[in-house]
Amino acid sequence: MTAEIIATLLTAVLLVVGCLGVIVPVLPGSILIVVGLLVWALTVQAVEGWTVLAVGSVLALTGMAASAVLTGARLKQRQIPNRSLLYAAAGAVVGLFVIPVVGILVGFFVGLLLSETARQRDLRTALDSSWVALKAAGLGIVVEFGCALAASSVFVLGALVLFLTA
């Protein structure tokens, strides 16, 4: 096997893991995608590789930024403090180990709900703000995942062009 084929397979694996990392935020999804595209571009040393790196990186990083901005704007609009998000993140880590598969989401929600209940002293209001935060995080994930898929599609097209015109 040539280095180009090995790099293409490795990049494909990194892109799949990166896309999964966007959905299950244990891995740095968009960063893995950019790293995979960089590995491929450095290995193939062709116009296709550099074009895929440029376009794919812009897409992946745009998705990551859009996710942060969309989620942050929603949370700021509802005046949910960073402290509550810290408790939500801690809950997500605990949930990851306590409940397989869905524990990260359950832990995030429980941590956020407990923090918001302590802050607002009202369970109904805390449930409402926790639900809004969960929807905001979900919207961010959907946008980032769409951009990750677009970056992966750019790679597939670039790889096809590279290998079919070689």
Side-chain angles (χ1 to χ4, degrees), residues 23-25 88 91-92 95-96 101-111 134 141:
I23 296 170
V24 181
L96 179 68
V101 183
V102 296
I104 195 165
L105 296 173
V106 172
F108 180 86
F109 184 75
V110 169
L134 203 57
I141 288 170

Side-chain angles (χ1 to χ4, degrees), residues 13-90:
V13 168
L14 284 172
L15 292 177
V16 169
V17 172
C19 286
L20 291 174
V22 169
I23 296 170
V24 181
V26 176
L27 301 169
S30 295
I31 301 297
L32 283 176
I33 290 170
V34 172
V35 167
L37 297 177
L38 179 63
V39 166
W40 192 66
L42 289 172
T43 304
V44 298
Q45 294 284 318
V47 172
E48 294 87 350
W50 300 117
T51 304
V52 165
L53 174 63
V55 174
S57 294
V58 166
L59 285 167
L61 296 175
T62 299
M64 195 166 80
S67 174
V69 168
L70 286 171
T71 303
R74 281 273 176 99
L75 297 177
K76 186 175 252 186
Q77 182 182 28
R78 290 297 299 235
Q79 298 176 341
I80 298 173
N82 288 338
R83 178 180 60 92
S84 292
L85 297 178
L86 225 78
Y87 282 109

